[in-house]
Each structure stands twice: as C-alpha cells, then as structure tokens.
Amino acid sequence: MTIRFVLDERSLSLDGLAPSDGIEVLEQFLDRIDDAALDRREVLYSSEFFETPILGELTFWDLCDATSPIVLPKEMQERAAAAFGTLARWDEGEDWPADFNVSVNGQAFQSRPSVAWAHFRNSNPQTEIIACISSSTRGPTGLHEVLNSTVTRPVWFVETDRHSELFYRWVGSEHTGSPAALAELASASFKNLKFVGDCWTGIRTMTGQYRDLVRVIVQHLGGLSDEGRRIFSGSWQHVPAEFGSLGIEISDENGGTKQNAQARRERRIVVDGNERYFWWHTKLEPHQNRIHISPDDVPTGGKIVVGIFCHHLTI
C-alpha cells in the first residue's frame, strides 16, 4: 500500500488573523509537509496552490513582500522554498478526476481540485491512500465523507500532529492485511510506545482472523500510547480501573506466576541491553489474545515497551 499526501489549496485563509497567528497557521502547514517527508511519504500539490488567495487577494508567495499585512520571515521563506522544492504536482499527470466539485459531509459543493483528486485516487485503498494536508482556517480536518459526482468515499484531512497519528491508526485498523503491514505504521501511529524487534509476528498466534483482531489491537495500542504514561505515572493499583474506563482490560501477573521459572522465561526480553519482564498485559478477550507490555521506564520519563503479542502464554 502506498500512502501519500496532497495539499488542500482551498483550506488556507489568514483573513482576520493577527500576523503572529497567521505565521503559526503557515508553520503548522509546513510542519505536516516536513512530517510526511520524515516518514518518507510523497507530498503533491496542484498549480492552483500558489494561485489561490489566502489573505485578501494575496497568494502564498505574495507574503514575502514587505508591504504584505502578514510577512513571511526570512527563515520561513527559506523553509517554504526548500519544502516546496521537493514536492511534485499531481496535475502534471494524466489521471485527473472528471469533476473538481466535492461535498464534504453533505455540505454545499465547492471546487476543491486536490480534494477531488484524493477522492479519485482513494478508489482502491488496499493499493493507495491519499490524505489531504489541510487547515481549519477554511477547510475540514479529521476524517470526513467526501462526495464527488455520485461516489462517496472517506478522506482524511490532516492539520495537526494528532490528526496525523489518528490517520495512520485508521489506515492500520481499516486497510492493512497483515501484522507486517501494521508494524510498518507503528512509529507514526503510536508515538509514545516502543516495540521490541519482531514482536508483531506474535499476532499470528492469536485466535481469530487478522481483520477481526486488528481493530481491537489498534484500540489497545492507541490507549496505551495516549494514556499509558499518565496512568502508569500514578499508583499502579489504579491502573486496571483507569484503563477499564477506556474500554481496555489490563492486569499484572499474580505472585505465583512471577515466581514460576517457565513464566519468567516466557516474559523475559533483553531490550537495549537491559532485562525486562513483560508482566502487564491487555486482554483482547477475557480468556485469550494478549498484548504484554513493560511500563518500567515510565516513572523515569521513558516509553511503555510492547514486547509480546500472543494467544496466551503457558502460565
């Protein structure tokens, strides 16, 4: 599966914003381009991006003029030039949507060429998924149903780092077909977790079809990433109740298991030269399918380590 991004040229508007706020909006837009590059994802745009007014009648590069109400600082001009110098134009290719008018979540149709192109390219998400880099100043953000012609498809609009993380989780949950494919998205999907080597292969030992398991796996990993550091920074006696409020069942092993030699061997992994025991585990089902973790580094500011996916360990 190929994941790419496209700039929503109609989403940016600096009208009514203070200069500092306008600069912040543009910096956030550039941040998403940089993030995609760091993730080795291609970012595309249309010729209309630099022709579309974003401040009165002024277009993006017009903000380099010293007379503009909002002036791009020199370092930001250089950053933008470097970023856009690496991008490709989708409208130089041959595959175009027949109509640029789209309706987002049942709202009035608007001409949004790059959104229409993303919708067009998302016809086979098992092969390719396009998300839009967008701004809430004049565009949608998050996951939305987009109607183009007579076809409705989901399209992601990414504005913040959080949107990006949730987008990758959605891809993992809805459009991966194997543990290996999910593993490829892990660093972008669960930024507060660390994964041990080839732990993902353990998903194949779980009971059930991957397509049925993956949504629950993503839910559990998402909860661990979002709230795990906060929860494990408090009293560990409250951990099961805290995660329970998120719809995730989790428990520590009992004393008997911890004293059992075989159980210790099964749960022991050396991570970065340090011995870890993966006693804590979430339960996809009460009687089977486990994700074993080590929260030992959390009190010192470290990440939760995910070490084992399994049907159930021996003891």
Side-chain angles (χ1 to χ4, degrees):
M1 175 202 307
T2 299
I3 297 173
R4 299 193 288 175
F5 294 84
V6 67
L7 307 185
D8 179 2
E9 63 278 301
R10 300 295 167 82
S11 69
L12 277 169
S13 174
L14 307 186
D15 293 328
L17 298 181
S20 59
D21 293 335
I23 295 300
E24 184 176 348
V25 167
L26 296 178
E27 284 183 335
Q28 185 163 244
F29 204 83
L30 292 174
D31 285 345
R32 301 291 76 78
I33 297 174
D34 289 346
D35 287 348
L38 288 173
D39 289 334
R40 298 183 179 180
R41 307 294 182 188
E42 186 180 22
V43 181
L44 302 99
Y45 68 102
S46 76
S47 59
E48 292 199 19
F49 183 85
F50 294 116
E51 299 170 3
T52 302
I54 63 173
L55 178 59
E57 296 301 315
L58 301 179
T59 61
F60 186 93
W61 292 122
D62 290 334
L63 304 188
C64 297
D65 193 304
T67 63
S68 170
I70 297 178
V71 181
L72 296 184
K74 183 67 174 178
E75 61 273 16
M76 193 171 179
Q77 295 180 35
E78 294 173 352
R79 179 188 179 193
F84 287 115
T86 66
L87 308 190
R89 276 179 46 189
W90 63 261
D91 55 357
E92 290 182 336
E94 297 180 356
D95 291 332
W96 286 33
D99 185 358
F100 286 164
N101 291 307
V102 298
S103 169
V104 180
N105 281 351
Q107 297 181 5
F109 279 88
Q110 293 180 312
S111 177
R112 304 182 85 97
S114 291
V115 175
W117 182 73
H119 174 282
F120 172 70
R121 298 294 301 185
N122 285 346
S123 62
N124 184 4
Q126 303 307 316
T127 301
E128 179 181 41
I129 295 177
I130 306 288
C132 297
I133 293 177
S134 186
S135 170
S136 59
T137 54
R138 192 162 54 192
T141 59
L143 177 62
H144 295 281
E145 293 293 324
V146 174
L147 172 63
N148 178 249
S149 298
T150 61
V151 179
T152 299
R153 295 189 182 113
V155 176
W156 264 91
F157 297 82
V158 174
E159 179 183 41
T160 65
D161 185 60
R162 179 61 172 170
H163 288 141
S164 178
E165 189 172 29
L166 293 177
F167 162 66
Y168 281 111
R169 289 183 193 178
W170 175 79
V171 174
S173 179
E174 300 298 323
H175 297 297
T176 58
S178 69
L182 183 62
E184 289 180 1
L185 304 174
S187 61
S189 302
F190 313 108
K191 296 186 177 182
N192 295 316
L193 301 180
K194 180 176 180 176
F195 295 89
V196 174
D198 62 351
C199 66
W200 300 93
T201 60
I203 294 175
R204 297 190 180 279
T205 71
M206 291 180 170
T207 297
Q209 297 297 314
Y210 174 79
R211 293 297 308 141
D212 299 324
L213 295 168
V214 66
R215 291 180 177 85
V216 185
I217 291 172
V218 169
Q219 177 205 356
H220 282 219
L221 295 177
L224 289 166
S225 182
D226 295 343
E227 303 295 338
R229 185 173 292 175
R230 174 187 64 81
I231 291 173
F232 278 105
S233 293
S235 170
W236 287 15
Q237 291 182 334
H238 299 153
V239 167
E242 291 266 18
F243 276 107
S245 69
L246 304 175
I248 298 172
E249 185 178 356
I250 190 171
S251 65
D252 192 7
E253 300 290 11
N254 59 42
T257 299
K258 290 182 178 181
Q259 295 303 315
N260 183 280
Q262 182 178 349
R264 291 179 66 83
R265 285 194 299 271
E266 288 181 329
R267 293 159 178 81
R268 177 187 175 276
I269 302 175
V270 176
V271 182
D272 296 332
N274 298 311
E275 184 180 65
R276 292 282 184 271
Y277 284 92
F278 290 79
W279 302 119
W280 284 91
H281 53 281
T282 71
K283 304 176 181 180
L284 276 62
E285 299 177 56
H287 63 296
Q288 64 184 11
N289 297 337
R290 306 289 192 250
I291 302 174
H292 283 257
I293 65 168
S294 169
D296 294 351
D297 294 337
V298 169
T300 57
K303 296 182 178 182
I304 290 175
V305 183
V306 178
I308 304 167
F309 294 88
C310 62
H311 164 73
H312 201 297
L313 295 181
T314 304
I315 297 177

